[in-house]
């Protein structure tokens, strides 16, 4: 079974930073690209970032470029999303997934950005 478990979410003030983690199991993590999507209240799920299996390709959405970054540790089967300079418009539930698989996601990490 594929399992994706996000952690690290929580309330953060505007201007603050947060790092999300996603621990994966049930597949060969080191052979798969990974991705982060988010869903803000009342909006559709949208792309945030992706990283290839061995980090030779990285892409971050224009809306968060320069503030968010994605990384991974293949020895620990973990993909990270570093979020800096958070603003209220970044409030969302953040999900990790496997690149090329649109059907399986983690349970999501809630990130409310508010003072």
């Amino acid at each position: 079974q594929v399992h994706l478990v996000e952690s690290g979410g929580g309330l953060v003030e505007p201007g603050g930073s947060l790092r999300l983690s996603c621990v994966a199991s049930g597949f060969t993590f080191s052979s798969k690209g990974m991705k982060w999507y988010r869903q803000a209240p009342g909006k559709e799920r949208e792309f945030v970032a992706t990283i290839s299996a061995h980090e030779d390709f990285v892409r971050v959405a224009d809306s968060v470029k320069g503030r968010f970054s994605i990384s991974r540790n293949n020895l620990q089967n973990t993909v990270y999303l570093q979020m800096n300079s958070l603003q209220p418009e970044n409030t969302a539930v953040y999900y990790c997934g496997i690149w090329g698989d649109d059907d399986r996601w983690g349970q999501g990490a809630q990130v409310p950005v508010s003072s």
Side-chain angles (χ1 to χ4, degrees), residues 16-68:
S17 297
L18 209 61
R19 187 180 74 161
L20 302 181
S21 300
C22 175
V23 179
S25 62
F27 65 101
T28 305
F29 179 80
S30 60
S31 71
K32 298 290 186 179
M34 299 295 292
K35 61 192 178 186
W36 288 94
Y37 275 62
R38 68 184 179 187
Q39 188 166 22
K43 295 187 176 181
E44 299 291 330
R45 188 174 296 193
E46 66 174 350
F47 170 80
V48 177
T50 188
I51 185 168
S52 63
H54 297 285
E55 305 181 68
D56 55 322
F57 176 81
V58 176
R59 178 173 174 256
V60 180
D62 289 343
S63 60
V64 298
K65 195 172 297 180
R67 299 188 297 113
F68 289 17

